[in-house]
Amino acid sequence: MKEKELVVCKFGGSSVQNPTQIKKITQIVKEDNTRKVVVVSAPGRDETYNQKITDHLLNCATRGKYFSEQKIDISHEQSFEKIMGKFEYLCTGLDISPKGIVDALKKDLNNCSLNDEKRIAYFLSRGEHYNAKLIALYFKASGLNVELKLPEEFGFMLSEDYLNAKVLEPSYENIKKSFDFKEDTLYVVPGFYGITQNKELAVLSRGGSDLTGGELSYALDADVYENWTDTNGVYEVDPRVIPKANVIPRLTFKELRLLSSKGFNVFHFNAMLNCKKSKIPINIKNTNNPTHEGTLILSERVPMEDLVGIAKLDNMASIHIQKDMLGEEIGFSAELLKIFGEFGINTYHYPTDKDDIAILVEQEDLKGNINNLRRQIEKRLKTDNIYVTYNLSIITLVGIGLKENSFTIVDAITALKEKNISFEMFDMSPSKISFHIGVSQAISDIALEILHEKMLVNGYK
Ligand code: ASP
């Protein structure tokens, strides 16, 4: 196997939120000299309100509107205090003079004359900006040969959608040119923000430091993109429901997507796209348990087991529509989905037959909409009956091995039958690597436990 030469690491908010965590990441970086690019997030949450520093910055930029709109009682002055307090705490704990960092940050926030989105983007970027500066100083003081690479200087070019910017093509060339790895340099890069053609700062969508790391890995053709967080990796089932759940050692991008979109959430999806294109493995690792191998996300793997994980999505509702011969009516489903679209409601699976179609949606999306949605469907499609079932959970079993062995489905159903768990819905995805079982939410944890026990503990591992 080819020796690995270049690893891009990204450390998320919880990995850099206090001096102890920053000392841990310093150790991690020192342990392996192939870790040559370090992308950092803003310093996690504050110690009083447990809110992210990025959210406090958003609250300052909007003069308190951001939290007050969510009925959170934190003024912009209090947010300002928490941001400053956090950076002071980090500097003191790491023996760095707070002057350079804290004073400059204060000046940036107080003197900003931008308005609207540009002001918010500028404020948001400051968390990553100053945290990277501070971490670079600490790395240097710990004997590492560090260079701070700022996105506005090396040309991480973003579109002018200031709060949800897209990465522009010239960024890749700029990165290649700027990161030359001379003299064993370790590069520290703030995640989440970049610069527009007009030389203004813009931010990616929330959680966007993942994306900065993914794009750097792609541009530099890294051997691995390590994404350091506070869990051991991707779990086969939600460990909050089943504490003995194992971490999945290897899974494909596609499997992760299927698990994530159905309730697992570990990673910013767009961050994977270019890594997937270049087949760069992503390794999810735990800063608090660095010797654990974590989860490797790959383009391809040998399907040794049928299943890798089971996800569960709660608070779903099913809208079951009846109309004689709807299956023969050309354009019926298209019009139906259009109506959901007009209400801004995302639709999930739609099992259908001659006279019936069911649409699964998130219950939350029906709030304030169900009355008018029903009215539009009845009026435009002349339906016979519409039944809405609330409080459903969709359990999704995922694994590329399912394609090879569809009998796994039989075993899943048998396991539920043995424990008298009835289900409301069943559906296999066209990719044949996942299938969905809809159960009443009241019994969904038990159903998940039964399936986990049968399929992952005793069955296919
Ligand atoms: N600090 C930013 C956020 O909270 C970006 C990130 O952490 O990835 O969304």
Side-chain angles (χ1 to χ4, degrees):
M1 203 174 99
K2 178 183 170 280
E3 282 280 309
K4 91 181 156 149
E5 286 162 11
L6 172 62
V7 178
V8 171
C9 308
K10 177 255 165 178
F11 292 96
S14 62
S15 301
V16 288
Q17 70 179 357
N18 60 39
T20 314
Q21 292 303 87
I22 295 178
K23 285 178 188 164
K24 282 187 199 164
I25 77 160
T26 312
Q27 204 43 44
I28 290 168
V29 171
K30 278 186 170 173
E31 259 158 26
D32 181 344
N33 64 8
T34 65
R35 293 181 176 134
K36 293 178 186 160
V37 179
V38 172
V39 176
V40 298
S41 282
R45 294 173 187 272
D46 77 88
E47 282 74 28
T48 316
Y49 306 108
N50 201 28
Q51 296 287 348
K52 284 178 118 187
I53 292 302
T54 305
D55 288 314
H56 281 302
L57 287 161
L58 193 43
N59 199 40
C60 282
T62 56
R63 299 181 176 88
K65 223 165 129 194
Y66 176 67
F67 280 143
S68 75
E69 273 175 2
Q70 299 174 63
K71 312 233 175 327
I72 300 172
D73 189 19
I74 306 174
S75 68
H76 67 100
E77 290 91 350
Q78 284 166 322
S79 283
F80 185 83
E81 212 178 279
K82 286 297 138 197
I83 299 163
M84 292 304 154
K86 173 67 104 178
F87 278 96
E88 262 164 39
Y89 165 56
L90 290 178
C91 288
T92 322
L94 296 170
D95 260 339
I96 291 171
S97 152
K99 267 229 140 301
I101 304 276
V102 179
D103 290 356
L105 172 60
K106 204 178 273 176
K107 215 158 124 197
D108 281 1
L109 300 188
N110 285 336
N111 296 352
C112 175
S113 58
L114 297 164
N115 287 314
D116 307 323
E117 287 194 325
K118 293 182 188 176
R119 172 182 165 88
I120 299 178
Y122 180 76
F123 270 59
L124 286 176
S125 73
R126 300 298 83 190
E128 270 67 11
H129 181 88
Y130 284 104
N131 210 24
K133 280 193 164 164
L134 194 151
I135 289 169
L137 285 174
Y138 183 69
F139 279 178
K140 222 174 255 174
S142 316
L144 288 160
N145 184 18
V146 181
E147 197 180 310
L148 177 69
K149 284 276 185 201
L150 296 176
E152 59 272 44
E153 288 170 8
F154 67 77
F156 191 45
M157 305 302 299
L158 300 185
S159 65
E160 276 154 38
D161 314 289
Y162 292 91
L163 298 180
N164 186 16
K166 303 283 161 293
V167 180
L168 301 178
E169 209 47 43
S171 294
Y172 304 114
E173 266 315 303
N174 293 346
I175 294 169
K176 264 188 242 167
K177 261 193 260 147
S178 177
F179 290 68
D180 54 14
F181 300 101
K182 272 195 224 125
E183 296 156 18
D184 267 338
T185 323
L186 171 71
Y187 295 112
V188 176
V189 187
F192 188 41
Y193 78 92
I195 186 154
T196 67
Q197 254 141 0
N198 300 331
K199 307 248 173 295
E200 288 162 326
L201 298 187
V203 291
L204 303 161
S205 56
R206 291 300 302 271
S209 300
D210 278 349
L211 187 52
T212 307
E215 298 295 30
L216 283 165
S217 303
Y218 171 70
L220 300 169
D221 197 25
D223 298 302
V224 184
Y225 170 26
E226 288 180 348
N227 196 278
W228 291 83
T229 172
D230 54 5
T231 77
N232 283 339
V234 180
Y235 284 85
E236 54 189 5
V237 282
D238 187 341
R240 286 167 305 183
V241 182
I242 299 172
K244 67 174 181 187
N246 288 311
V247 165
I248 305 171
R250 269 174 308 280
L251 83 169
T252 63
F253 289 104
K254 172 89 180 169
E255 286 169 323
L256 177 66
R257 227 175 16 245
L258 286 167
L259 288 171
S260 303
S261 57
K262 304 283 178 236
F264 282 44
N265 239 338
V266 278
F267 200 65
H268 193 302
F269 273 97
N270 291 343
M272 302 198 308
L273 297 178
N274 276 330
C275 288
K276 178 170 179 256
K277 198 155 99 188
S278 288
K279 305 190 171 49
I280 298 171
I282 300 175
N283 196 180
I284 312 264
K285 299 265 295 172
N286 190 352
T287 300
N288 305 319
N289 188 11
T291 51
H292 193 290
E293 303 224 312
T295 297
L296 261 185
I297 307 164
L298 304 155
S299 291
E300 198 174 338
R301 68 174 185 92
V302 178
M304 288 186 297
E305 57 288 284
D306 295 331
L307 281 185
V308 281
I310 309 175
K312 179 162 85 78
L313 191 60
D314 292 333
N315 302 317
M316 300 294 286
S318 159
I319 301 179
H320 172 188
I321 293 156
Q322 279 184 334
K323 181 180 183 184
D324 281 347
M325 303 307 284
L326 68 80
E328 308 270 300
E329 215 175 291
I330 291 172
F332 184 96
S333 320
E335 182 67 11
L336 182 60
L337 295 180
K338 194 166 154 234
I339 298 173
F340 279 88
E342 287 165 8
F343 282 87
I345 298 176
N346 191 19
T347 53
Y348 288 69
H349 320 273
Y350 0 101
T352 174
D353 63 27
K354 281 264 188 265
D355 305 329
D356 304 80
I357 181 166
I359 310 267
L360 273 170
V361 297
E362 285 180 35
Q363 203 154 291
E364 190 63 26
D365 287 348
L366 295 181
K367 248 196 211 162
N369 279 331
I370 182 64
N371 186 82
N372 292 347
L373 179 76
R374 194 189 277 269
R375 181 174 140 89
Q376 285 299 320
I377 297 173
E378 282 173 356
K379 205 157 78 176
R380 282 156 65 177
L381 293 167
K382 312 271 178 288
T383 50
D384 298 334
N385 293 302
I386 302 177
Y387 306 103
V388 187
T389 313
Y390 293 106
N391 299 321
L392 288 175
S393 292
I394 307 301
I395 295 179
T396 303
L397 293 90
V398 177
I400 51 172
L402 283 173
K403 220 170 169 168
E404 255 65 54
N405 179 15
S406 49
F407 292 119
T408 311
I409 299 172
V410 180
D411 295 331
I413 302 296
T414 309
L416 293 178
K417 175 182 172 272
E418 279 165 4
K419 302 278 181 196
N420 250 325
I421 301 277
S422 60
F423 54 92
E424 311 286 326
M425 181 218 101
F426 181 81
D427 177 25
M428 184 165 181
S429 96
S431 67
K432 293 196 184 156
I433 69 169
S434 74
F435 61 96
H436 313 285
I437 302 173
V439 299
S440 147
Q441 194 160 310
I443 54 164
S444 68
D445 282 357
I446 301 167
L448 186 66
E449 230 170 87
I450 293 168
L451 291 169
H452 174 255
E453 199 63 30
K454 170 83 178 194
M455 317 296 290
L456 289 166
V457 179
N458 297 330
Y460 295 92
K461 272 261 156 103

PDB file of all heavy atoms in Angstrom, residues 10 41-42 52 54 128 192 206-210, ligand 1:
ATOM      1  N   LYS A  10      -9.513  18.377  10.244  1.00  0.00           N
ATOM      2  CA  LYS A  10     -10.405  19.462  10.646  1.00  0.00           C
ATOM      3  C   LYS A  10     -10.845  19.201  12.079  1.00  0.00           C
ATOM      4  O   LYS A  10     -11.264  18.076  12.414  1.00  0.00           O
ATOM      5  CB  LYS A  10     -11.603  19.528   9.702  1.00  0.00           C
ATOM      6  CG  LYS A  10     -12.619  20.589  10.092  1.00  0.00           C
ATOM      7  CD  LYS A  10     -13.838  19.994  10.708  1.00  0.00           C
ATOM      8  CE  LYS A  10     -14.682  21.003  11.429  1.00  0.00           C
ATOM      9  NZ  LYS A  10     -15.902  20.427  11.989  1.00  0.00           N
ATOM     10  N   SER A  41     -12.474  25.172  13.634  1.00  0.00           N
ATOM     11  CA  SER A  41     -13.758  25.855  13.801  1.00  0.00           C
ATOM     12  C   SER A  41     -13.619  26.963  14.839  1.00  0.00           C
ATOM     13  O   SER A  41     -12.582  27.080  15.497  1.00  0.00           O
ATOM     14  CB  SER A  41     -14.793  24.866  14.350  1.00  0.00           C
ATOM     15  OG  SER A  41     -15.269  24.033  13.351  1.00  0.00           O
ATOM     16  N   ALA A  42     -14.698  27.681  15.041  1.00  0.00           N
ATOM     17  CA  ALA A  42     -14.770  28.646  16.153  1.00  0.00           C
ATOM     18  C   ALA A  42     -14.780  27.843  17.462  1.00  0.00           C
ATOM     19  O   ALA A  42     -15.106  26.657  17.458  1.00  0.00           O
ATOM     20  CB  ALA A  42     -16.038  29.474  16.022  1.00  0.00           C
ATOM     21  N   LYS A  52     -23.303  28.229  21.074  1.00  0.00           N
ATOM     22  CA  LYS A  52     -22.081  28.276  20.262  1.00  0.00           C
ATOM     23  C   LYS A  52     -21.581  29.725  20.128  1.00  0.00           C
ATOM     24  O   LYS A  52     -22.399  30.649  19.997  1.00  0.00           O
ATOM     25  CB  LYS A  52     -22.370  27.737  18.860  1.00  0.00           C
ATOM     26  CG  LYS A  52     -22.486  26.231  18.811  1.00  0.00           C
ATOM     27  CD  LYS A  52     -22.819  25.780  17.413  1.00  0.00           C
ATOM     28  CE  LYS A  52     -21.707  24.914  16.872  1.00  0.00           C
ATOM     29  NZ  LYS A  52     -21.891  24.571  15.465  1.00  0.00           N
ATOM     30  N   THR A  54     -20.311  30.935  17.610  1.00  0.00           N
ATOM     31  CA  THR A  54     -20.821  31.396  16.301  1.00  0.00           C
ATOM     32  C   THR A  54     -22.227  31.978  16.447  1.00  0.00           C
ATOM     33  O   THR A  54     -22.563  32.976  15.812  1.00  0.00           O
ATOM     34  CB  THR A  54     -20.796  30.227  15.297  1.00  0.00           C
ATOM     35  OG1 THR A  54     -19.472  29.712  15.252  1.00  0.00           O
ATOM     36  CG2 THR A  54     -21.212  30.672  13.913  1.00  0.00           C
ATOM     37  N   GLU A 128     -13.866  31.770  13.675  1.00  0.00           N
ATOM     38  CA  GLU A 128     -12.859  30.897  13.073  1.00  0.00           C
ATOM     39  C   GLU A 128     -11.535  31.664  12.913  1.00  0.00           C
ATOM     40  O   GLU A 128     -10.461  31.141  13.182  1.00  0.00           O
ATOM     41  CB  GLU A 128     -13.330  30.410  11.700  1.00  0.00           C
ATOM     42  CG  GLU A 128     -14.128  29.115  11.676  1.00  0.00           C
ATOM     43  CD  GLU A 128     -15.494  29.170  12.326  1.00  0.00           C
ATOM     44  OE1 GLU A 128     -15.976  30.277  12.644  1.00  0.00           O
ATOM     45  OE2 GLU A 128     -16.087  28.098  12.544  1.00  0.00           O
ATOM     46  N   PHE A 192     -14.869  27.681   7.433  1.00  0.00           N
ATOM     47  CA  PHE A 192     -16.180  28.332   7.386  1.00  0.00           C
ATOM     48  C   PHE A 192     -16.290  29.585   6.534  1.00  0.00           C
ATOM     49  O   PHE A 192     -17.361  29.923   6.073  1.00  0.00           O
ATOM     50  CB  PHE A 192     -16.617  28.629   8.836  1.00  0.00           C
ATOM     51  CG  PHE A 192     -18.023  29.125   9.041  1.00  0.00           C
ATOM     52  CD1 PHE A 192     -19.096  28.597   8.337  1.00  0.00           C
ATOM     53  CD2 PHE A 192     -18.287  30.116   9.992  1.00  0.00           C
ATOM     54  CE1 PHE A 192     -20.400  29.044   8.571  1.00  0.00           C
ATOM     55  CE2 PHE A 192     -19.575  30.564  10.232  1.00  0.00           C
ATOM     56  CZ  PHE A 192     -20.635  30.028   9.516  1.00  0.00           C
ATOM     57  N   ARG A 206     -23.995  26.777   7.735  1.00  0.00           N
ATOM     58  CA  ARG A 206     -23.574  26.431   9.087  1.00  0.00           C
ATOM     59  C   ARG A 206     -22.901  25.054   9.100  1.00  0.00           C
ATOM     60  O   ARG A 206     -23.278  24.158   8.362  1.00  0.00           O
ATOM     61  CB  ARG A 206     -24.770  26.462  10.043  1.00  0.00           C
ATOM     62  CG  ARG A 206     -25.327  27.845  10.304  1.00  0.00           C
ATOM     63  CD  ARG A 206     -24.307  28.809  10.919  1.00  0.00           C
ATOM     64  NE  ARG A 206     -23.726  28.384  12.157  1.00  0.00           N
ATOM     65  CZ  ARG A 206     -24.219  28.645  13.366  1.00  0.00           C
ATOM     66  NH1 ARG A 206     -25.336  29.339  13.485  1.00  0.00           N
ATOM     67  NH2 ARG A 206     -23.600  28.232  14.435  1.00  0.00           N
ATOM     68  N   GLY A 207     -21.944  24.903   9.955  1.00  0.00           N
ATOM     69  CA  GLY A 207     -21.149  23.663   9.992  1.00  0.00           C
ATOM     70  C   GLY A 207     -20.121  23.640   8.863  1.00  0.00           C
ATOM     71  O   GLY A 207     -19.530  22.606   8.553  1.00  0.00           O
ATOM     72  N   GLY A 208     -19.903  24.801   8.249  1.00  0.00           N
ATOM     73  CA  GLY A 208     -19.130  24.862   7.016  1.00  0.00           C
ATOM     74  C   GLY A 208     -17.631  24.609   7.133  1.00  0.00           C
ATOM     75  O   GLY A 208     -16.958  24.462   6.112  1.00  0.00           O
ATOM     76  N   SER A 209     -17.090  24.505   8.352  1.00  0.00           N
ATOM     77  CA  SER A 209     -15.661  24.188   8.440  1.00  0.00           C
ATOM     78  C   SER A 209     -15.379  22.795   7.880  1.00  0.00           C
ATOM     79  O   SER A 209     -14.295  22.548   7.341  1.00  0.00           O
ATOM     80  CB  SER A 209     -15.173  24.265   9.881  1.00  0.00           C
ATOM     81  OG  SER A 209     -15.379  25.558  10.369  1.00  0.00           O
ATOM     82  N   ASP A 210     -16.347  21.917   7.998  1.00  0.00           N
ATOM     83  CA  ASP A 210     -16.228  20.591   7.356  1.00  0.00           C
ATOM     84  C   ASP A 210     -15.949  20.757   5.869  1.00  0.00           C
ATOM     85  O   ASP A 210     -15.156  20.034   5.276  1.00  0.00           O
ATOM     86  CB  ASP A 210     -17.565  19.830   7.456  1.00  0.00           C
ATOM     87  CG  ASP A 210     -17.748  19.142   8.794  1.00  0.00           C
ATOM     88  OD1 ASP A 210     -16.793  19.073   9.565  1.00  0.00           O
ATOM     89  OD2 ASP A 210     -18.874  18.656   9.043  1.00  0.00           O
TER      90      ASP A 210
HETATM   91  N1  ASP B   1     -18.594  27.758  13.492  1.00  0.00           N
HETATM   92  C1  ASP B   1     -19.441  27.479  12.366  1.00  0.00           C
HETATM   93  C2  ASP B   1     -20.791  26.972  12.849  1.00  0.00           C
HETATM   94  O1  ASP B   1     -21.029  26.895  14.035  1.00  0.00           O
HETATM   95  C3  ASP B   1     -18.834  26.566  11.374  1.00  0.00           C
HETATM   96  C4  ASP B   1     -18.374  25.238  11.904  1.00  0.00           C
HETATM   97  O2  ASP B   1     -18.203  25.046  13.115  1.00  0.00           O
HETATM   98  O3  ASP B   1     -18.159  24.346  11.096  1.00  0.00           O
HETATM   99  O4  ASP B   1     -21.642  26.701  12.040  1.00  0.00           O
END
